[in-house]
Amino acid sequence: MNIRPGIPYPLGATYDGSGTNFALFTSVASSVELCLISEDLTEERIKLTECDNNVWHAYLPGISPGQRYGYRVHGPFDPGAGHRCDSSKLLLDPYARAIEGEVQNNNSVYSYQFDDPGQRNNDDSLGSTMLSLVTSPFFDWAHDRPPGRDYHELVIYEAHVKGLTMQNPNIPEELRGTYAGVGHPATIEYLKELGVNAIELMPIHQFVNDSYLKERNLSNYWGYNTIGFFAPHNGYSSDPHNTVQEFKQMVKALHQADIEVILDVVYNHTAEGNHMGPTLSFRGIDNASYYRLVDDDKAHYFDTTGTGNSLLMRSPAVLQLIMDSLRYWVSEMHVDGFRFDLASTLARQFHEVDKLSAFFELIHQDPVVSRVKLIAEPWDVGEGGYMVGQFPVLWSEWNGSYRDTVRDFWRGQFSTLATFGSRLAGSSDLYQDDGRKPMSSINFVTAHDGFTLNDLVSYNEKHNEANGEGGKDGSDDNKSWNCGAEGETEDPEVLNLRMRQRKNFIATLMVSQGVPMISHGDEVARTQGGNNNAYCQDNSISWMSWKETDTSTEMFDFTKRAIALREQHPVFRRRRFFAGNPHQGGESERGEIEWMNPDSSHMTAESWDAAYARTLMFFLNGLAIGEPDQMGNRIVDSDFLVMMNAAPEDIEFTIPAQGYGSSWTVRLDTDEQYVGSEFHAGETICLRNRSILVMEHARAAGEDSPTVSIEKVVPPVHNE
């Protein structure tokens, strides 16, 4: 074979139309073999002779897309010193753009003997491990362009590629559970009708199905077990030979429908696990450069992820890997942003979480990555890892405080009203002090991890029997309420209450400042039967049901109307925190937001702190958004009045005085009795227990408008 020196960058296998350049980083190898694998697993080993700056490289003319390959790295195997090179294992290229096959559960992929872990295992792993594939960079993107929405315009739909599409009868059977299924017109039309404009896909980087799960006929359904940070997971492809092309086509189709694509990415650890894990890639290439090892015991891994290992965030190789991967997904795969799993681990350059870490510095100065959506899951399982409200500018966060507070309020937990008000207003107490804005808060009530929305109002306890872990898995603190019956019931009062509660959560999301996110299937009351940790359930427990019922139809219709209301009215999606003090002027002055008791009197400190307070009303001033649109015109909207009753009894609410508006029309009612009804200043409304009313005052031409008072900043409303 004609072998040329090639170049050390870019890393990975790069096809140029005539041949392929291969480049692999390892700082400890004594030699490296590039292994070309045929379809029948015949192996041709090519010893690389060129090494620059710890990158071994070669250019092979005639090697084209579809070529299978891997590496064998010769070097020290000394776990006590942190080194685990093992040339008997065929290793994945960390930069592989596509990966074939899956890891088999046998001893050959481990560097020790199962029956005697102290003894080396030199069995060849070829045939039992995944293979890297050369890919073509060429694709006809035509006129594809990112929708480029501002954060405050987003409604995010968290979805699983397989779970969203696997049971959809409107998708051809061979495309269900695949990227092509997500990009199919049936899926896109559904998302458009619902009104969401960004889909956040659960992990699609190539991941490993854990052997211990396969032994129990389960699987790593969620996919938080990455091994290939550049490769779309091959299990979600309808055509294993064209995984990259299929993923790109999905993104292109979603963009044509004006829907953004956000990826849930797992850069905090890999699928190689702890010191007893398999040798698949990083471990055998340069263990000490990729993984964080225990300082005084380098045979073991420092773990802040609960998975067995953590990547070494002060290693130049790791930082380059992550940044190269992020740029690749933006530049070559055209995705619009990322949600970073256990993001606190990425900020642990040393031991503590540090928002001045090298990872954040690289993100912020990067001309590509800094311009897309960046969303943190702002916690990990390590000490001091809960960092809600503490990430730097540019970042939005899954607001765990929002989730917990909203759940508490609607299940009737006492002493939550003040914090609840702050969450509705965008959580300025968490984000404003360092210059961040409401967009920093990704508001959610449910996500993949935990109860679905239906189960949140149907179960007091988790029911994870199908996971086979004796009920030890999954959270025991769900902040849920079953509305009077555990699980399925035919009691009409319980069913009606559950319907109101589901709608209450959706309505709360859509009238809150910040960025709303709903979990796929919540809009049709998807259930997991009380399983709050369905990570291993690749079956109907986790898949979205497309069977229409009276309940699913009613929930979908309400969710669609709530999203549409938010989209139509910028007063619900401000770019800035509220300002203005309604207590400083006369009756003609109105603040940007005014908090009221049910009798329409203004909230006082005593009102906020009342231990048994379960009701709230607030006025949103459509004249006082105080922001220009993209053309520089001042944004003006209708006024809105939102009434919330989380009490177990019906409560009378009084429409505020004439100065707030003469007439009000009900746009949303989670009890559905008042929709479209008109009420006037001073009238009383009997609000059903545990329900929400959203009312609009649309000013008539020439109608007098109140003076806007925006001189003083409203202090954050919270009791934390």
Side-chain angles (χ1 to χ4, degrees):
M1 180 174 291
N2 180 14
I3 303 172
R4 301 176 185 173
I7 53 178
Y9 192 84
L11 293 169
T14 306
Y15 175 68
D16 63 6
S18 298
T20 302
N21 189 82
F22 295 88
L24 177 75
F25 164 84
T26 169
S27 66
V28 295
S30 57
S31 64
V32 173
E33 291 176 305
L34 169 64
C35 306
L36 303 181
I37 313 298
S38 64
E39 188 171 356
D40 63 1
L41 299 186
T42 301
E43 178 183 10
E44 180 181 0
R45 301 187 185 184
I46 300 170
K47 187 171 183 178
L48 302 184
T49 59
E50 299 292 330
C51 181
D52 296 296
N53 300 320
N54 295 323
V55 177
W56 298 76
H57 54 90
Y59 180 88
L60 276 61
I63 297 299
S64 58
Q67 174 65 57
R68 303 169 181 85
Y69 73 99
Y71 289 100
R72 296 187 185 273
V73 175
H74 301 261
F77 184 88
D78 184 0
H83 303 308
R84 295 179 180 268
C85 294
D86 186 347
S87 60
S88 69
K89 311 307 174 202
L90 184 72
L91 303 175
L92 282 173
D93 181 356
Y95 280 71
R97 269 56 169 182
I99 293 174
E100 182 180 86
E102 60 180 317
V103 177
Q104 303 301 313
N105 185 27
N106 64 54
N107 206 163
S108 68
V109 297
Y110 294 81
S111 294
Y112 61 89
Q113 297 289 349
F114 282 169
D115 55 1
D116 185 2
Q119 295 297 314
R120 285 285 302 276
N121 172 31
N122 294 316
D123 293 345
D124 194 326
S125 66
L126 177 60
S128 298
T129 193
M130 297 174 169
L131 302 176
S132 308
L133 293 176
V134 176
T135 62
S136 171
F138 308 116
F139 179 77
D140 182 12
W141 283 105
H143 301 292
D144 180 73
R145 60 188 297 273
R149 283 189 179 81
D150 289 336
Y151 273 97
H152 70 286
E153 297 176 334
L154 293 181
V155 177
I156 299 174
Y157 189 76
E158 187 200 30
H160 187 284
V161 168
K162 193 169 187 180
L164 176 62
T165 62
M166 195 62 187
Q167 297 188 112
N168 188 340
N170 298 314
I171 297 174
E173 187 171 358
E174 67 274 13
L175 301 183
R176 297 174 194 170
T178 70
Y179 305 119
V182 175
H184 189 273
T187 304
I188 291 176
E189 289 168 9
Y190 177 84
L191 298 176
K192 294 291 286 184
E193 182 181 359
L194 181 60
V196 298
N197 51 33
I199 186 169
E200 182 179 300
L201 294 176
M202 289 176 65
I204 56 82
H205 287 173
Q206 184 67 49
F207 60 85
V208 173
N209 196 352
D210 305 79
S211 59
Y212 80 94
L213 290 175
K214 288 194 287 187
E215 290 170 356
R216 291 156 44 201
N217 294 317
L218 300 171
S219 68
N220 193 322
Y221 171 70
W222 284 353
Y224 291 93
N225 203 29
T226 306
I227 195 63
F229 295 108
F230 293 78
H233 183 63
N234 55 33
Y236 298 153
S237 178
S238 63
D239 181 359
H241 300 291
N242 289 289
T243 301
V244 174
Q245 304 293 314
E246 184 175 334
F247 182 90
K248 289 179 176 180
Q249 189 60 51
M250 175 195 72
V251 173
K252 182 178 177 181
L254 288 165
H255 280 181
Q256 287 175 342
D258 209 27
I259 297 172
E260 299 198 6
V261 180
I262 298 171
L263 301 185
D264 189 342
V265 290
V266 190
Y267 292 110
N268 52 73
H269 74 281
T270 80
E272 290 185 304
N274 63 16
H275 63 289
M276 302 299 287
T279 300
L280 305 175
S281 180
F282 308 91
R283 190 194 306 275
I285 293 171
D286 194 337
N287 187 62
S289 288
Y290 281 113
Y291 293 117
R292 185 168 185 175
L293 308 177
V294 177
D295 290 339
D296 56 356
D297 181 12
K298 295 187 182 302
H300 293 85
Y301 295 83
F302 188 85
D303 180 16
T304 57
T305 64
T307 62
N309 67 58
S310 303
L311 286 176
L312 182 60
M313 295 307 299
R314 61 177 179 268
S315 165
V318 169
L319 293 171
Q320 181 181 2
L321 173 81
I322 294 174
M323 295 307 299
D324 284 350
S325 172
L326 291 171
R327 279 191 294 268
Y328 172 77
W329 287 98
V330 175
S331 300
E332 299 297 325
M333 307 294 263
H334 285 208
V335 303
D336 303 284
F338 306 95
R339 178 266 188 188
F340 293 80
D341 178 65
L342 299 181
S344 292
T345 289
L346 302 176
R348 291 182 185 271
Q349 184 171 346
F350 296 99
H351 291 278
E352 296 76 25
V353 180
D354 182 1
K355 65 181 181 181
L356 298 178
S357 68
F359 171 71
F360 287 131
E361 291 178 356
L362 288 172
I363 291 283
H364 283 222
Q365 62 81 39
D366 190 273
V368 174
V369 180
S370 65
R371 297 181 183 180
V372 301
K373 272 73 176 184
L374 302 171
I375 302 170
E377 182 185 33
W379 51 76
D380 62 15
V381 300
E383 183 178 352
Y386 189 77
M387 300 292 290
V388 173
Q390 300 181 56
F391 273 65
V393 294
L394 287 189
W395 288 78
S396 295
E397 302 173 9
W398 272 25
N399 191 341
S401 181
Y402 180 97
R403 172 199 60 205
D404 296 343
T405 302
V406 170
R407 288 186 179 193
D408 274 345
F409 179 78
W410 284 112
R411 69 182 177 132
Q413 190 76 7
F414 296 135
S415 302
T416 62
L417 189 58
T419 309
F420 181 65
S422 185
R423 300 297 157 256
L424 289 171
S427 298
S428 60
D429 56 314
L430 297 177
Y431 304 111
Q432 190 174 32
D433 60 346
D434 55 4
R436 300 166 77 189
K437 296 181 179 180
M439 56 165 263
S440 299
S441 179
I442 304 297
N443 299 330
F444 69 107
V445 175
T446 60
H448 66 274
D449 189 1
F451 281 145
T452 65
L453 185 61
N454 180 78
D455 293 355
L456 186 67
V457 302
S458 304
Y459 295 90
N460 285 347
E461 308 293 337
K462 64 187 180 184
H463 296 268
N464 297 359
E465 294 80 9
N467 296 355
E469 299 183 34
K472 296 179 181 179
D473 67 303
S475 174
D476 293 314
D477 182 20
N478 296 288
K479 300 184 182 296
S480 63
W481 178 47
N482 65 18
C483 297
E486 187 73 359
E488 294 185 9
T489 181
E490 295 182 0
D491 186 325
E493 290 190 9
V494 173
L495 293 175
N496 287 336
L497 176 55
R498 288 178 179 176
M499 179 62 77
R500 292 202 304 279
Q501 288 287 72
R502 284 190 294 264
K503 292 179 180 179
N504 288 337
F505 284 120
I506 293 294
T508 301
L509 275 172
M510 296 307 154
V511 301
S512 297
Q513 303 300 322
V515 181
M517 182 187 79
I518 59 177
S519 181
H520 82 255
D522 279 352
E523 74 281 6
V524 291
R526 182 176 76 87
T527 180
Q528 293 180 168
N531 192 323
N532 74 348
N533 189 35
Y535 76 102
C536 56
Q537 300 295 334
D538 187 3
N539 50 51
S540 59
I541 290 177
S542 295
W543 299 342
M544 181 170 164
S545 172
W546 291 82
K547 182 179 179 180
E548 290 190 25
T549 65
D550 291 343
T551 296
S552 67
T553 300
E554 184 174 348
M555 269 305 298
F556 182 85
D557 177 67
F558 181 85
T559 306
K560 180 172 67 172
R561 287 188 285 121
I563 292 173
L565 184 71
R566 181 184 181 87
E567 192 277 331
Q568 293 160 7
H569 294 284
V571 74
F572 295 119
R573 44 186 175 83
R574 296 163 50 97
R575 290 187 290 120
R576 301 171 184 167
F577 287 113
F578 290 108
N581 192 329
H583 307 300
Q584 297 299 310
E587 282 299 313
S588 64
E589 288 190 325
R590 300 287 170 243
E592 295 185 358
I593 185 171
E594 297 192 23
W595 304 97
M596 302 176 184
N597 296 301
D599 63 2
S600 76
S601 63
H602 283 107
M603 295 284 287
T604 63
E606 291 76 16
S607 302
W608 285 116
D609 293 335
Y612 296 94
R614 293 178 172 179
T615 57
L616 182 66
M617 179 163 60
F618 60 95
F619 165 80
L620 293 172
N621 192 336
L623 288 176
I625 298 176
E627 302 167 359
D629 62 19
Q630 292 299 323
M631 301 302 294
N633 301 312
R634 177 172 171 241
I635 298 175
V636 175
D637 197 5
S638 302
D639 298 333
F640 279 86
L641 196 63
V642 180
M643 302 174 178
M644 297 182 166
N645 178 19
E649 65 276 350
D650 299 351
I651 300 288
E652 283 198 347
F653 281 71
T654 302
I655 304 291
Q658 182 81 19
Y660 288 89
S662 57
S663 63
W664 298 84
T665 303
V666 176
R667 297 304 184 200
L668 285 181
D669 176 6
T670 59
D671 189 42
E672 302 292 353
Q673 63 174 316
Y674 293 125
V675 175
S677 299
E678 186 172 300
F679 294 89
H680 299 87
E683 285 192 66
T684 59
I685 303 174
C686 185
L687 190 59
R688 181 76 178 272
N689 67 84
R690 299 186 176 94
S691 68
I692 295 177
L693 214 59
V694 181
M695 311 175 76
E696 178 185 7
H697 168 58
R699 296 179 194 81
E703 179 180 350
D704 290 338
S705 299
T707 302
V708 179
S709 172
I710 55 172
E711 298 303 320
K712 296 182 181 294
V713 174
V714 174
V717 178
H718 64 100
N719 61 359
E720 294 181 331

